[in-house]
Amino acid sequence: MSEPLRLALVGATGLIGRAVIDACIGRSDVRLVAIARREMKLPRGARMELFVAEPDKWGEVFEALQPTALISALGTTWKKSGEDEEAFRAVDQQLVLATARAAHAAGIQRLVSISSVGADPRSKNLYLRVKGEVEGELSKVGLKRLDLLRPGLLKGARENDRRLGERLAIIASPLVDPFLNGKLRKYRSIEASEVAMGAIGLATRRAGGRFTHDNDSIRRAAREWAKQGG
């Protein structure tokens, strides 16, 4: 029997991060450790460690833990950043990149990073432009394997962070999704739990390279990982 995957998680308090924790409950093939800036309540049944440290100390935690792979679910919203571009970039760009570089310096070989559908460094939309710029910079870090996940509209229970526009889009998604076909298929909604399982499944893969995944690719990885049991 192979050794469990030593998996680190940053961004544990967000929608995807919490879904990753939930997905690992009852799995013997993953040893999950989360690193966060603040304490959080872990769900019942979670067998994991949570290290609380300031971001400039995360590299030291990586060195001490020596995980094989890292899932980065870091991110903020335009509203949470006070609608200030510098504050938004401080998290979605600078923190994401600093964490990836610290992970690489600590010997982590694989990184799964949550991006967004439509990420493009040339986009006129700030959110999508920053996501695209970050993808490009992550490719230069030097990781053996980099998986960039570009999910569509995320569905799941957020903690006191559901925006009106997002709520309305989720309500409408069952009616809208069937009309999003061909090149528009990638914009369909997707459950946060599927993204989380897909991220974990991709973290187990050893082949080197840079890989970008849309909804369909994420779902395939999620199904494959679910079938592995554990």
Side-chain angles (χ1 to χ4, degrees), residues 16 71-72 111-117 119 131 135 146-152 194-200 202-203 211-215 217-218 221:
I16 299 298
I71 292 178
S72 175
L111 170 65
V112 179
S113 184
I114 310 301
S115 184
S116 171
V117 63
K131 292 294 186 183
E135 288 186 355
L146 171 64
D147 288 279
L148 300 167
L149 275 57
R150 293 180 176 177
E194 288 185 290
V195 178
M197 289 191 293
I200 300 168
L202 291 167
F211 306 89
T212 303
H213 308 271
D214 60 11
N215 279 354
S217 178
I218 293 169

Side-chain angles (χ1 to χ4, degrees), residues 6 28 35 38 115 131 184 186 193 198 205 223 227:
R6 299 191 309 279
S28 60
I35 307 165
R38 58 183 173 85
S115 184
K131 292 294 186 183
L184 297 179
K186 61 186 179 182
S193 57
R205 298 185 182 178
R223 288 194 298 268
K227 287 179 181 178

Side-chain angles (χ1 to χ4, degrees), residues 81-154:
S81 64
E83 300 186 355
D84 178 79
E85 181 174 348
E86 184 176 348
F88 177 75
R89 284 182 178 274
V91 176
D92 271 50
Q93 184 173 41
Q94 295 166 23
L95 180 57
V96 171
L97 293 175
T99 301
R101 290 165 182 151
H104 177 252
I108 296 177
Q109 300 179 2
R110 310 173 205 161
L111 170 65
V112 179
S113 184
I114 310 301
S115 184
S116 171
V117 63
D120 185 343
R122 299 178 298 278
S123 176
K124 293 182 180 180
N125 177 283
L126 175 65
Y127 179 84
L128 297 179
R129 185 167 68 251
V130 170
K131 292 294 186 183
E133 291 171 359
V134 169
E135 288 186 355
E137 289 300 314
L138 286 175
S139 301
K140 302 174 184 176
V141 170
L143 297 150
K144 179 181 178 181
R145 181 182 176 103
L146 171 64
D147 288 279
L148 300 167
L149 275 57
R150 293 180 176 177
L153 174 67
L154 291 173

